[in-house]
Amino acid sequence: MKVLVIGAGGREHALVWSISRSRRVSEVVCAPGNAGIAQLARCIPASPKDLDDLLRVTGSEGPDLVVVGPELPLSLGLVDELQRRSIPVFGPTQKAAQLESSKAFAKRFMQRHKIPTAAYAVATSEQQALESIDLFHLPLVIKADGLASGKGVLMCETRREATEAISGLMGGKLLGSVQSSIVIEEFLTGEEISFLTMTDGKHVVPMAPAQDHKRIGEGDKGPNTGGMGAYSTDGMVDDQMREWIVNHIALPTVNGMAAEDSAFVGVLYCGLMMTARGPMVLEFNARFGDPETQAILSRLDCDLVATLEACVEGRLSDTELRWKPGASACVIAASAGYPGSYVTGRRISGLEEAARVPGVEIFHSGTALVDGHYVTEGGRVLGVTAAAATLDQSLSLVYEALGRIQFEGMYYRRDIGHRSLKSA
Ligand code: AMP
């Protein structure tokens, strides 16, 4: 079969890598892909932001399955359009993807279905928002309702910070566009876990759990990024806790969406805070995470495509996922200046030597091939990934490989996994 993957980052490289290992797959194509993905799949120029472009590519390629990586095409309704054309597609419809694309929708949905989450209020005017903050203890959290690439969440220690956050979001200064709706939320404390599941709209299959590091600086300091690293270990979530999360969070979400005539098919990513009151949902994502996917798929020990197809065909109850025991880690190499402005076009050397470290996979997040040489083409450039018997071993392999790679201004965090190693 022929599989088309939509997207251009490290997540899509890991998906293409995993999909191309399936015996059922004869060809993988990717739109638009990147220079790393091009080692495994034919890449077709297209903009993931342009629905017509993506429909044109899908129409001309005629894939047997489409796998959508990023959130934007989901929120634009790519899945709905492909379903209308009877093209099998893995991902939720526009309506179902609201679990990610609207935080107000997700909070109201969780309240309707008694899914554990922080106490909240939704405000649609500055006046209403200012009145609502008095209902919360400090610190509190203020979130833009819509997709904001991780930039729409503000922790406020004081009432003044909250007031500034509200006017910054609703006045348009903070995100560059006016937010007509915001969510105010109780501040939760605990360990964060990314609990990804695959679903066919009725059944749920959990993936290996992961944790990610969003901040640019070591010690989890400094501005938020798309993600500077992720890791996965068996010990993060034990069997009993996994069952609890499936039965009290993932399944009620899938059942609730189906009951509301909005069946959710694809990856239901539950961003959880493991609080003293039990796991609570911080956010839902409607797709694989980046860089969690690189860490998670490196531990997969079965055919991903069989499960993707089972989801699309509504027969996930027959399927389960197998995982390599132990752990994995992915560390992102970024361009100097990221997440602020950065230069591109820096020549990358040492990729072949790094790939020779046993067990290491190098997933490209933002690279291009110019005159036969890989060059940087994004803020996040590479995701160096390894799976091994322990987290310590995975990290040693990753850092050994990173030590062999160079480009001007290359930056990576040397403390990925430190939270887990400390508690181990
Ligand atoms: P979100 O996009 O809603 O997941 O928020 C991004 C990040 O903000 C999360 O990964 C958490 O680290 C933090 N966060 C979000 N909501 C809360 C909350 N209610 N309490 C504490 N931290 C939060």
Side-chain angles (χ1 to χ4, degrees):
M1 66 188 281
K2 176 176 181 177
V3 182
L4 166 65
V5 176
I6 307 285
R11 162 185 49 210
E12 287 77 19
H13 192 174
L15 281 167
V16 165
W17 173 76
S18 213
I19 290 168
S20 63
R21 293 154 73 108
S22 169
R23 267 192 275 138
R24 320 153 91 86
V25 172
S26 51
E27 190 183 6
V28 190
V29 287
C30 189
N34 64 36
I37 294 174
Q39 297 164 2
L40 301 170
R42 181 161 50 82
C43 293
I44 307 152
S47 163
K49 296 178 191 155
D50 183 340
L51 216 50
D52 291 335
D53 213 14
L54 296 174
L55 290 170
R56 177 189 54 76
V57 169
T58 314
S60 63
E61 289 294 329
D64 301 297
L65 177 66
V66 179
V67 180
V68 186
E71 58 274 29
L72 193 64
L74 296 172
S75 70
L76 294 174
L78 178 62
V79 170
D80 311 55
E81 290 295 333
L82 293 177
Q83 284 176 349
R84 228 167 269 148
R85 291 162 173 75
S86 300
I87 296 171
V89 53
F90 178 84
T93 60
Q94 186 174 38
K95 200 167 150 207
Q98 280 183 97
L99 274 183
E100 172 167 7
S101 63
S102 167
K103 288 194 189 285
F105 172 86
K107 294 298 284 191
R108 291 184 178 124
F109 172 86
M110 284 188 271
Q111 191 174 37
R112 283 198 294 281
H113 295 278
K114 302 193 173 51
I115 294 161
T117 190
Y120 76 101
V122 176
T124 50
S125 71
E126 254 188 86
Q127 178 62 26
Q128 197 187 8
L130 290 172
E131 282 166 22
S132 301
I133 57 177
D134 291 332
L135 304 172
F136 291 83
H137 292 292
L138 292 165
L140 53 78
V141 186
I142 297 189
K143 301 183 175 183
D145 180 26
L147 293 178
S149 307
K151 293 186 198 117
V153 176
L154 299 142
M155 308 293 155
C156 307
E157 303 270 347
T158 62
R159 208 174 176 283
R160 185 172 168 175
E161 278 174 21
T163 310
E164 282 169 9
I166 290 166
S167 58
L169 288 174
M170 298 195 111
K173 263 196 227 121
L174 269 177
L175 295 179
S177 63
V178 171
Q179 298 295 306
S180 53
S181 167
I182 61 168
V183 174
I184 299 151
E185 213 174 86
E186 165 197 12
F187 182 84
L188 299 176
T189 51
E191 277 284 309
E192 276 185 55
I193 299 278
S194 303
F195 192 87
L196 283 72
T197 67
M198 291 209 225
T199 174
D200 62 355
K202 297 187 285 285
H203 312 96
V204 163
V205 172
M207 293 189 235
Q211 288 188 282
D212 69 342
H213 290 273
K214 289 217 169 59
R215 306 295 194 93
I216 187 73
E218 289 176 8
D220 294 319
K221 303 233 160 60
N224 260 330
T225 69
M228 293 304 291
Y231 54 102
S232 168
T233 70
D234 283 339
M236 271 173 194
V237 173
D238 64 20
D239 292 351
Q240 207 183 342
M241 181 57 86
R242 186 175 55 238
E243 285 304 299
W244 195 95
I245 297 170
V246 166
N247 290 322
H248 293 85
I249 293 176
L251 262 181
T253 304
V254 166
N255 290 337
M257 291 300 281
E260 295 189 8
D261 221 12
S262 197
F264 188 103
V265 174
V267 170
L268 177 69
Y269 171 136
C270 309
L272 305 177
M273 187 74 94
M274 309 301 269
T275 75
R277 290 180 279 160
M280 301 184 99
V281 177
L282 288 175
E283 65 162 344
F284 288 119
N285 290 326
R287 35 84 199 172
F288 286 99
D290 189 338
E292 295 91 326
T293 302
Q294 292 88 312
I296 291 172
L297 290 183
S298 71
R299 293 189 64 194
L300 187 69
D301 199 16
C302 61
D303 186 339
L304 177 67
V305 177
T307 309
L308 297 173
E309 280 192 294
C311 287
V312 174
E313 291 165 13
R315 49 173 182 79
L316 194 60
S317 60
D318 310 340
T319 318
E320 61 177 48
L321 291 165
R322 277 193 320 276
W323 303 96
K324 292 180 198 156
S328 63
C330 168
V331 177
I332 297 290
S335 300
Y338 174 76
S341 57
Y342 51 84
V343 292
T344 57
R346 301 288 192 214
R347 193 154 155 176
I348 307 169
S349 61
L351 284 171
E352 278 176 23
E353 293 83 341
R356 270 189 229 120
V357 177
V360 164
E361 291 297 331
I362 301 167
F363 297 119
H364 293 220
S365 302
T367 65
L369 200 57
V370 175
D371 299 332
H373 294 287
Y374 289 103
V375 298
T376 63
E377 208 189 41
R380 293 191 295 169
V381 178
L382 302 166
V384 179
T385 308
T390 65
L391 180 58
D392 237 344
Q393 284 170 18
S394 310
L395 288 165
S396 302
L397 296 170
V398 165
Y399 284 115
E400 186 183 336
L402 274 164
R404 299 181 184 191
I405 300 173
Q406 280 143 21
F407 57 85
E408 198 183 324
M410 171 170 156
Y411 167 78
Y412 58 89
R413 281 181 56 171
R414 286 160 202 273
D415 66 343
I416 299 303
H418 68 96
R419 290 187 301 247
S420 194
L421 290 175
K422 241 190 283 168
S423 61

PDB file of all heavy atoms in Angstrom, residues 206-231:
ATOM      1  N   PRO A 206      -3.452   2.639  24.433  1.00  0.00           N
ATOM      2  CA  PRO A 206      -2.447   3.608  24.893  1.00  0.00           C
ATOM      3  C   PRO A 206      -1.084   3.365  24.275  1.00  0.00           C
ATOM      4  O   PRO A 206      -0.720   2.231  23.965  1.00  0.00           O
ATOM      5  CB  PRO A 206      -2.393   3.380  26.412  1.00  0.00           C
ATOM      6  CG  PRO A 206      -2.947   2.022  26.644  1.00  0.00           C
ATOM      7  CD  PRO A 206      -3.815   1.651  25.471  1.00  0.00           C
ATOM      8  N   MET A 207      -0.337   4.435  24.102  1.00  0.00           N
ATOM      9  CA  MET A 207       1.063   4.312  23.659  1.00  0.00           C
ATOM     10  C   MET A 207       1.964   4.386  24.899  1.00  0.00           C
ATOM     11  O   MET A 207       1.475   4.642  26.009  1.00  0.00           O
ATOM     12  CB  MET A 207       1.404   5.447  22.703  1.00  0.00           C
ATOM     13  CG  MET A 207       0.636   5.348  21.407  1.00  0.00           C
ATOM     14  SD  MET A 207       1.250   6.536  20.207  1.00  0.00           S
ATOM     15  CE  MET A 207      -0.253   7.372  19.810  1.00  0.00           C
ATOM     16  N   ALA A 208       3.263   4.172  24.698  1.00  0.00           N
ATOM     17  CA  ALA A 208       4.196   4.321  25.824  1.00  0.00           C
ATOM     18  C   ALA A 208       4.116   5.770  26.311  1.00  0.00           C
ATOM     19  O   ALA A 208       4.027   6.685  25.495  1.00  0.00           O
ATOM     20  CB  ALA A 208       5.610   3.978  25.361  1.00  0.00           C
ATOM     21  N   PRO A 209       4.143   5.996  27.618  1.00  0.00           N
ATOM     22  CA  PRO A 209       4.034   7.371  28.134  1.00  0.00           C
ATOM     23  C   PRO A 209       5.318   8.154  27.868  1.00  0.00           C
ATOM     24  O   PRO A 209       6.373   7.560  27.628  1.00  0.00           O
ATOM     25  CB  PRO A 209       3.842   7.163  29.634  1.00  0.00           C
ATOM     26  CG  PRO A 209       4.522   5.860  29.920  1.00  0.00           C
ATOM     27  CD  PRO A 209       4.344   5.013  28.688  1.00  0.00           C
ATOM     28  N   ALA A 210       5.217   9.478  27.912  1.00  0.00           N
ATOM     29  CA  ALA A 210       6.414  10.301  27.672  1.00  0.00           C
ATOM     30  C   ALA A 210       6.361  11.551  28.540  1.00  0.00           C
ATOM     31  O   ALA A 210       5.308  11.912  29.080  1.00  0.00           O
ATOM     32  CB  ALA A 210       6.492  10.691  26.200  1.00  0.00           C
ATOM     33  N   GLN A 211       7.507  12.190  28.677  1.00  0.00           N
ATOM     34  CA  GLN A 211       7.572  13.526  29.280  1.00  0.00           C
ATOM     35  C   GLN A 211       8.389  14.385  28.335  1.00  0.00           C
ATOM     36  O   GLN A 211       9.290  13.880  27.669  1.00  0.00           O
ATOM     37  CB  GLN A 211       8.241  13.475  30.656  1.00  0.00           C
ATOM     38  CG  GLN A 211       7.347  12.815  31.695  1.00  0.00           C
ATOM     39  CD  GLN A 211       7.901  12.931  33.103  1.00  0.00           C
ATOM     40  OE1 GLN A 211       8.801  12.192  33.455  1.00  0.00           O
ATOM     41  NE2 GLN A 211       7.388  13.847  33.894  1.00  0.00           N
ATOM     42  N   ASP A 212       8.051  15.668  28.281  1.00  0.00           N
ATOM     43  CA  ASP A 212       8.838  16.520  27.389  1.00  0.00           C
ATOM     44  C   ASP A 212       9.388  17.718  28.143  1.00  0.00           C
ATOM     45  O   ASP A 212       8.981  17.996  29.266  1.00  0.00           O
ATOM     46  CB  ASP A 212       8.030  16.945  26.155  1.00  0.00           C
ATOM     47  CG  ASP A 212       6.915  17.908  26.497  1.00  0.00           C
ATOM     48  OD1 ASP A 212       6.532  17.995  27.675  1.00  0.00           O
ATOM     49  OD2 ASP A 212       6.425  18.580  25.584  1.00  0.00           O
ATOM     50  N   HIS A 213      10.353  18.370  27.533  1.00  0.00           N
ATOM     51  CA  HIS A 213      10.954  19.588  28.098  1.00  0.00           C
ATOM     52  C   HIS A 213      10.645  20.724  27.133  1.00  0.00           C
ATOM     53  O   HIS A 213      11.165  20.744  26.027  1.00  0.00           O
ATOM     54  CB  HIS A 213      12.473  19.432  28.207  1.00  0.00           C
ATOM     55  CG  HIS A 213      12.916  18.455  29.242  1.00  0.00           C
ATOM     56  ND1 HIS A 213      13.109  18.791  30.554  1.00  0.00           N
ATOM     57  CD2 HIS A 213      13.213  17.146  29.161  1.00  0.00           C
ATOM     58  CE1 HIS A 213      13.517  17.744  31.244  1.00  0.00           C
ATOM     59  NE2 HIS A 213      13.585  16.716  30.415  1.00  0.00           N
ATOM     60  N   LYS A 214       9.795  21.659  27.584  1.00  0.00           N
ATOM     61  CA  LYS A 214       9.362  22.730  26.672  1.00  0.00           C
ATOM     62  C   LYS A 214      10.276  23.956  26.714  1.00  0.00           C
ATOM     63  O   LYS A 214      10.361  24.695  25.740  1.00  0.00           O
ATOM     64  CB  LYS A 214       7.950  23.179  27.048  1.00  0.00           C
ATOM     65  CG  LYS A 214       6.888  22.147  26.709  1.00  0.00           C
ATOM     66  CD  LYS A 214       5.608  22.803  26.225  1.00  0.00           C
ATOM     67  CE  LYS A 214       4.654  21.797  25.633  1.00  0.00           C
ATOM     68  NZ  LYS A 214       4.246  20.743  26.558  1.00  0.00           N
ATOM     69  N   ARG A 215      10.938  24.183  27.877  1.00  0.00           N
ATOM     70  CA  ARG A 215      11.710  25.425  27.991  1.00  0.00           C
ATOM     71  C   ARG A 215      13.039  25.312  27.257  1.00  0.00           C
ATOM     72  O   ARG A 215      13.613  24.239  27.161  1.00  0.00           O
ATOM     73  CB  ARG A 215      11.987  25.753  29.456  1.00  0.00           C
ATOM     74  CG  ARG A 215      10.759  25.806  30.317  1.00  0.00           C
ATOM     75  CD  ARG A 215       9.842  26.960  29.892  1.00  0.00           C
ATOM     76  NE  ARG A 215       8.842  27.198  30.915  1.00  0.00           N
ATOM     77  CZ  ARG A 215       8.985  28.085  31.893  1.00  0.00           C
ATOM     78  NH1 ARG A 215      10.071  28.838  31.959  1.00  0.00           N
ATOM     79  NH2 ARG A 215       8.054  28.242  32.790  1.00  0.00           N
ATOM     80  N   ILE A 216      13.547  26.466  26.809  1.00  0.00           N
ATOM     81  CA  ILE A 216      14.798  26.479  26.047  1.00  0.00           C
ATOM     82  C   ILE A 216      16.000  26.170  26.929  1.00  0.00           C
ATOM     83  O   ILE A 216      16.972  25.542  26.487  1.00  0.00           O
ATOM     84  CB  ILE A 216      14.985  27.855  25.336  1.00  0.00           C
ATOM     85  CG1 ILE A 216      16.185  27.852  24.393  1.00  0.00           C
ATOM     86  CG2 ILE A 216      15.125  28.998  26.333  1.00  0.00           C
ATOM     87  CD1 ILE A 216      15.991  27.087  23.139  1.00  0.00           C
ATOM     88  N   GLY A 217      15.957  26.588  28.200  1.00  0.00           N
ATOM     89  CA  GLY A 217      17.168  26.530  29.034  1.00  0.00           C
ATOM     90  C   GLY A 217      17.233  25.309  29.932  1.00  0.00           C
ATOM     91  O   GLY A 217      16.205  24.715  30.280  1.00  0.00           O
ATOM     92  N   GLU A 218      18.463  24.980  30.337  1.00  0.00           N
ATOM     93  CA  GLU A 218      18.641  23.858  31.260  1.00  0.00           C
ATOM     94  C   GLU A 218      18.000  24.206  32.602  1.00  0.00           C
ATOM     95  O   GLU A 218      17.872  25.381  32.944  1.00  0.00           O
ATOM     96  CB  GLU A 218      20.135  23.548  31.375  1.00  0.00           C
ATOM     97  CG  GLU A 218      20.575  22.925  30.072  1.00  0.00           C
ATOM     98  CD  GLU A 218      22.059  22.634  29.959  1.00  0.00           C
ATOM     99  OE1 GLU A 218      22.789  22.774  30.941  1.00  0.00           O
ATOM    100  OE2 GLU A 218      22.464  22.261  28.842  1.00  0.00           O
ATOM    101  N   GLY A 219      17.537  23.166  33.307  1.00  0.00           N
ATOM    102  CA  GLY A 219      16.800  23.403  34.546  1.00  0.00           C
ATOM    103  C   GLY A 219      15.376  23.859  34.254  1.00  0.00           C
ATOM    104  O   GLY A 219      14.711  24.408  35.129  1.00  0.00           O
ATOM    105  N   ASP A 220      14.907  23.656  33.026  1.00  0.00           N
ATOM    106  CA  ASP A 220      13.559  24.074  32.599  1.00  0.00           C
ATOM    107  C   ASP A 220      13.345  25.568  32.836  1.00  0.00           C
ATOM    108  O   ASP A 220      12.334  25.998  33.398  1.00  0.00           O
ATOM    109  CB  ASP A 220      12.475  23.222  33.294  1.00  0.00           C
ATOM    110  CG  ASP A 220      12.546  21.773  32.842  1.00  0.00           C
ATOM    111  OD1 ASP A 220      12.750  21.542  31.634  1.00  0.00           O
ATOM    112  OD2 ASP A 220      12.423  20.865  33.683  1.00  0.00           O
ATOM    113  N   LYS A 221      14.324  26.361  32.409  1.00  0.00           N
ATOM    114  CA  LYS A 221      14.231  27.829  32.553  1.00  0.00           C
ATOM    115  C   LYS A 221      14.116  28.482  31.171  1.00  0.00           C
ATOM    116  O   LYS A 221      14.500  27.900  30.167  1.00  0.00           O
ATOM    117  CB  LYS A 221      15.501  28.349  33.236  1.00  0.00           C
ATOM    118  CG  LYS A 221      15.763  27.701  34.601  1.00  0.00           C
ATOM    119  CD  LYS A 221      15.962  28.746  35.673  1.00  0.00           C
ATOM    120  CE  LYS A 221      15.730  28.195  37.059  1.00  0.00           C
ATOM    121  NZ  LYS A 221      16.618  27.084  37.402  1.00  0.00           N
ATOM    122  N   GLY A 222      13.628  29.734  31.193  1.00  0.00           N
ATOM    123  CA  GLY A 222      13.589  30.520  29.956  1.00  0.00           C
ATOM    124  C   GLY A 222      12.317  30.292  29.163  1.00  0.00           C
ATOM    125  O   GLY A 222      11.416  29.582  29.602  1.00  0.00           O
ATOM    126  N   PRO A 223      12.239  30.906  27.975  1.00  0.00           N
ATOM    127  CA  PRO A 223      11.000  30.871  27.192  1.00  0.00           C
ATOM    128  C   PRO A 223      10.608  29.466  26.727  1.00  0.00           C
ATOM    129  O   PRO A 223      11.450  28.570  26.618  1.00  0.00           O
ATOM    130  CB  PRO A 223      11.316  31.743  25.967  1.00  0.00           C
ATOM    131  CG  PRO A 223      12.658  32.302  26.164  1.00  0.00           C
ATOM    132  CD  PRO A 223      13.292  31.695  27.351  1.00  0.00           C
ATOM    133  N   ASN A 224       9.314  29.330  26.468  1.00  0.00           N
ATOM    134  CA  ASN A 224       8.789  28.073  25.921  1.00  0.00           C
ATOM    135  C   ASN A 224       9.196  27.889  24.471  1.00  0.00           C
ATOM    136  O   ASN A 224       9.341  28.851  23.730  1.00  0.00           O
ATOM    137  CB  ASN A 224       7.257  28.097  25.976  1.00  0.00           C
ATOM    138  CG  ASN A 224       6.735  27.326  27.150  1.00  0.00           C
ATOM    139  OD1 ASN A 224       7.359  26.365  27.606  1.00  0.00           O
ATOM    140  ND2 ASN A 224       5.595  27.737  27.654  1.00  0.00           N
ATOM    141  N   THR A 225       9.356  26.636  24.069  1.00  0.00           N
ATOM    142  CA  THR A 225       9.696  26.313  22.678  1.00  0.00           C
ATOM    143  C   THR A 225       8.687  25.273  22.200  1.00  0.00           C
ATOM    144  O   THR A 225       7.833  24.841  22.962  1.00  0.00           O
ATOM    145  CB  THR A 225      11.094  25.669  22.597  1.00  0.00           C
ATOM    146  OG1 THR A 225      11.022  24.367  23.212  1.00  0.00           O
ATOM    147  CG2 THR A 225      12.146  26.493  23.302  1.00  0.00           C
ATOM    148  N   GLY A 226       8.858  24.808  20.982  1.00  0.00           N
ATOM    149  CA  GLY A 226       8.047  23.693  20.491  1.00  0.00           C
ATOM    150  C   GLY A 226       8.381  22.401  21.228  1.00  0.00           C
ATOM    151  O   GLY A 226       7.628  21.438  21.180  1.00  0.00           O
ATOM    152  N   GLY A 227       9.510  22.365  21.929  1.00  0.00           N
ATOM    153  CA  GLY A 227       9.943  21.158  22.665  1.00  0.00           C
ATOM    154  C   GLY A 227      11.421  20.925  22.418  1.00  0.00           C
ATOM    155  O   GLY A 227      11.857  20.869  21.266  1.00  0.00           O
ATOM    156  N   MET A 228      12.199  20.823  23.476  1.00  0.00           N
ATOM    157  CA  MET A 228      13.656  20.671  23.357  1.00  0.00           C
ATOM    158  C   MET A 228      14.114  19.241  23.592  1.00  0.00           C
ATOM    159  O   MET A 228      15.297  18.928  23.463  1.00  0.00           O
ATOM    160  CB  MET A 228      14.370  21.610  24.340  1.00  0.00           C
ATOM    161  CG  MET A 228      14.206  23.078  24.023  1.00  0.00           C
ATOM    162  SD  MET A 228      14.754  23.489  22.354  1.00  0.00           S
ATOM    163  CE  MET A 228      16.518  23.251  22.504  1.00  0.00           C
ATOM    164  N   GLY A 229      13.195  18.385  23.966  1.00  0.00           N
ATOM    165  CA  GLY A 229      13.566  16.992  24.189  1.00  0.00           C
ATOM    166  C   GLY A 229      12.403  16.257  24.824  1.00  0.00           C
ATOM    167  O   GLY A 229      11.471  16.882  25.348  1.00  0.00           O
ATOM    168  N   ALA A 230      12.460  14.933  24.745  1.00  0.00           N
ATOM    169  CA  ALA A 230      11.406  14.117  25.363  1.00  0.00           C
ATOM    170  C   ALA A 230      12.007  12.775  25.706  1.00  0.00           C
ATOM    171  O   ALA A 230      13.034  12.380  25.139  1.00  0.00           O
ATOM    172  CB  ALA A 230      10.241  13.945  24.388  1.00  0.00           C
ATOM    173  N   TYR A 231      11.375  12.086  26.630  1.00  0.00           N
ATOM    174  CA  TYR A 231      11.855  10.756  26.981  1.00  0.00           C
ATOM    175  C   TYR A 231      10.680   9.912  27.416  1.00  0.00           C
ATOM    176  O   TYR A 231       9.591  10.436  27.719  1.00  0.00           O
ATOM    177  CB  TYR A 231      12.945  10.841  28.065  1.00  0.00           C
ATOM    178  CG  TYR A 231      12.538  11.599  29.296  1.00  0.00           C
ATOM    179  CD1 TYR A 231      12.173  10.936  30.457  1.00  0.00           C
ATOM    180  CD2 TYR A 231      12.500  12.994  29.284  1.00  0.00           C
ATOM    181  CE1 TYR A 231      11.786  11.646  31.585  1.00  0.00           C
ATOM    182  CE2 TYR A 231      12.109  13.703  30.410  1.00  0.00           C
ATOM    183  CZ  TYR A 231      11.749  13.026  31.551  1.00  0.00           C
ATOM    184  OH  TYR A 231      11.345  13.725  32.652  1.00  0.00           O
TER     185      TYR A 231
END
